[in-house]
Amino acid sequence: MTEKSFGTEHKEHLSSEFIFMPEQWGAQVVEDKYLRPAGQPNFLDSSGNPCPAEMATILLGSNEPDIAGSCMGNMFGKCSRACSDAEVAAGDCPAAYLDKDLPPALPNSHGGCNCWEFSHATGVGYWPFKGCAGIQPLPQMWNDAQCVDVVMDAWKKTAAIAVAKGYRYLTTPLVAVDIDYAKRFIEKACGCSGGQCSCTEAACGCPVYVVFHFYAYDCSPKGSGGYANLQRRLDGVKAIMDRYKFVKGAIINEIGMLNCAPTDKDPICVPNSGNYPAAKVAGNSCPATKDLPKGLATFIEGIFDLVIAAKTSDGKPVVKGVSWFNANMDGGTYNLQLFSRNGSINANGEAYMQGCTRW
């Protein structure tokens, strides 16, 4: 697969051991031609090349609709919305670029930038949605019945396309912070009222997995409340599973450490703004600290402690999948890579494998 997260294209190779879980990143109806048939290996990737991995039978929902997020690249944490038509017409719309090696740049005085030409946003909550009021309606859509209706109508159409292609399971949107957002999505999609749901199958658009992201800040998962935030999200999913027995569990498909001071708003912040700026730390990773005596390896161990301990009231594991954000200073993170430059597994990778083995 060809990836361009860092501004330059590079190849990502998936072997036959991988099961690839596709995601409908936006909230609009999935385009039939781009959704590969489920359960089949050797599908064509985005470059038209055969991929030996197997396409999963689960379709992930939209990416981070619960926060407005930011434009990626050299305006990350600063550009909080796309320019208006008036700003574009007035020439007041600086462009953001994905290339992380470019000097940091600033949006206009209203926090707007051109995030569509040379960059992209962190999530779908950044963008407007046809049929919903406002320029960033999705984070507040539960306060707008019409917006809820158009979003859910699009989701049900996506579900119908997915089921026709062999997908058996759907997930909630991939929430950045708000587990209640996922709960309300389940209740609306599955027709739930008073604890009873009218449909619990993929055919009607009912998600059976809750997907969320988790990041701690500034190499301080204890001091900045990172572990506590993860525990609250696990408890939130546990409560959903206890109430709705058809919900199978949580998939945490992004876990990492943000290179910035903690924020109480959402996991979007200005890189290198904390006590341990990656730009000044060897390897751009977390140094040994009071919270992390072995650097990020300690953080990974702490995450698996919480994941392993999370159980429903009747003893079922809450978490069904964990994915570390294996990237180097992308999206405001530290260097989170699990491999050294020479391809060998580093200390973080060893901690990750040991955690998976314990689990």
Side-chain angles (χ1 to χ4, degrees):
M1 294 185 178
T2 300
E3 171 64 26
K4 202 175 181 181
S5 296
F6 306 112
T8 57
E9 291 189 352
H10 59 278
K11 297 289 185 180
E12 291 190 334
H13 301 280
L14 300 182
S15 68
S16 59
E17 288 83 10
F18 279 86
I19 296 178
F20 184 84
M21 298 171 65
E23 173 189 350
Q24 170 55 357
W25 190 93
Q28 70 275 18
V29 181
V30 69
E31 290 193 50
D32 184 283
K33 65 180 179 180
Y34 293 128
L35 185 62
R36 279 66 166 176
Q40 297 184 15
N42 300 312
F43 55 88
L44 296 182
D45 66 16
S46 58
S47 301
N49 299 312
C51 178
E54 180 181 321
M55 188 62 64
T57 57
I58 181 172
L59 178 64
L60 305 181
S62 62
N63 194 67
E64 299 190 347
D66 58 317
I67 63 170
S70 175
C71 192
M72 295 283 282
N74 65 343
M75 291 190 191
F76 185 82
K78 301 171 186 176
C79 177
S80 57
R81 65 168 179 83
C83 294
S84 66
D85 291 343
E87 288 169 335
V88 173
D92 186 23
C93 188
Y97 290 84
L98 273 180
D99 192 343
K100 64 180 182 180
D101 293 326
L102 290 175
L106 295 173
N108 65 27
S109 59
H110 302 289
C113 72
N114 173 351
C115 191
W116 58 87
E117 195 170 2
F118 308 107
S119 187
H120 59 78
T122 52
V124 69
Y126 183 90
W127 299 109
F129 192 80
K130 187 176 181 179
C132 296
I135 61 171
Q136 293 176 324
L138 295 182
Q140 293 83 37
M141 82 167 188
W142 302 112
N143 299 322
D144 182 347
Q146 178 180 328
C147 186
V148 171
D149 287 344
V150 296
V151 169
M152 298 310 301
D153 180 67
W155 174 246
K156 289 181 180 294
K157 290 176 180 175
T158 288
I161 294 170
V163 169
K165 294 202 169 193
Y167 290 87
R168 299 175 56 199
Y169 309 105
L170 304 175
T171 80
T172 66
L174 286 54
V175 294
V177 292
D178 190 359
I179 298 299
D180 189 61
Y181 194 105
K183 175 176 178 286
R184 297 180 75 169
F185 194 94
I186 289 172
E187 291 173 338
K188 187 67 176 179
C190 308
C192 302
S193 178
Q196 301 297 314
C197 305
S198 61
C199 178
T200 59
E201 304 295 329
C204 65
C206 183
V208 293
Y209 290 95
V210 178
V211 186
F212 68 87
H213 298 163
F214 166 68
Y215 291 89
Y217 298 89
D218 199 25
C219 304
S220 305
K222 293 181 181 178
S224 66
Y227 288 142
N229 285 334
L230 176 57
Q231 186 62 61
R232 278 191 288 271
R233 290 176 206 177
L234 294 171
D235 290 343
V237 178
K238 171 187 176 295
I240 293 172
M241 295 174 69
D242 284 343
R243 183 171 179 81
Y244 300 114
K245 300 299 183 182
F246 64 87
V247 176
K248 298 180 181 296
I251 297 172
I252 317 174
N253 82 326
E254 284 187 24
I255 297 180
M257 182 72 70
L258 290 173
N259 168 33
C260 51
T263 172
D264 59 1
K265 295 171 66 177
D266 57 49
I268 302 295
C269 49
V270 178
N272 296 305
S273 61
N275 292 320
Y276 304 100
K280 297 183 179 180
V281 179
N284 306 124
S285 188
C286 283
T289 67
K290 180 179 179 181
D291 278 8
L292 302 178
K294 294 185 289 184
L296 284 175
T298 306
F299 178 52
I300 293 170
E301 292 170 357
I303 287 167
F304 276 102
D305 288 343
L306 296 177
V307 165
I308 293 168
K311 299 287 192 295
T312 62
S313 297
D314 54 359
K316 296 177 183 176
V318 169
V319 182
K320 298 302 192 291
V322 169
S323 297
W324 180 254
F325 194 68
N326 183 38
N328 182 6
M329 299 178 70
D330 191 23
T333 67
Y334 287 88
N335 180 359
L336 305 180
Q337 291 178 325
L338 303 178
F339 297 87
S340 301
R341 288 182 178 273
N342 63 6
S344 63
I345 300 169
N346 61 27
N348 301 332
E350 293 288 352
Y352 191 63
M353 291 194 298
Q354 290 167 10
C356 290
T357 300
R358 278 200 293 139
W359 186 24

